[in-house]
Amino acid sequence: MSGTSQKHRNFVAEPMGDKPVTDLAGVGDVLGGRLKNAGFDKAFVVLGQFLVLKKNKELFQEWMKDVCSASSKQSSDCWQCLNDWCEEFL
């Protein structure tokens, strides 16, 4: 996980529980607000979408762009965060 942010490392280091969507790497207050408005208020809800899309990076990034206008960097960071979390806990 070299090259990942502290936020990414913190998220992947422990079970997800009831963490807010803004705890995901790549998701700050603005994207978090957009995701919340679309019904994705918790990290586990975004994880659900990630799994529905079968962990496919391209589909997940397209979904994030459509739902909250995420940039490719933001959606890539979020995808990597969820993918690494799944490798650790699923």
Side-chain angles (χ1 to χ4, degrees):
M1 280 190 297
S2 75
T4 58
S5 67
Q6 185 63 47
K7 188 176 184 180
H8 176 111
R9 291 188 296 277
N10 289 346
F11 189 86
V12 173
E14 60 188 17
M16 193 173 302
D18 210 28
K19 291 181 180 182
V21 71
T22 51
D23 278 10
L24 289 165
V27 179
D29 291 336
V30 173
L31 284 189
R34 292 177 189 157
L35 284 165
K36 286 177 192 173
N37 289 340
F40 298 89
D41 59 333
K42 300 288 183 180
F44 70 81
V45 182
V46 177
L47 173 66
Q49 184 65 30
F50 172 82
L51 294 173
V52 165
L53 296 172
K54 300 181 179 180
K55 303 181 190 177
N56 182 291
K57 186 173 185 176
E58 186 178 324
L59 291 175
F60 184 78
Q61 287 189 275
E62 190 66 32
W63 172 79
M64 280 197 74
K65 181 181 176 185
D66 291 345
V67 170
C68 63
S69 302
S71 71
S72 59
K73 167 96 169 83
Q74 291 165 322
S75 60
S76 179
D77 287 351
C78 187
W79 180 87
Q80 191 64 59
C81 183
L82 288 169
N83 196 60
D84 289 350
W85 186 90
C86 285
E87 287 180 10
E88 185 70 28
F89 292 100
L90 291 184

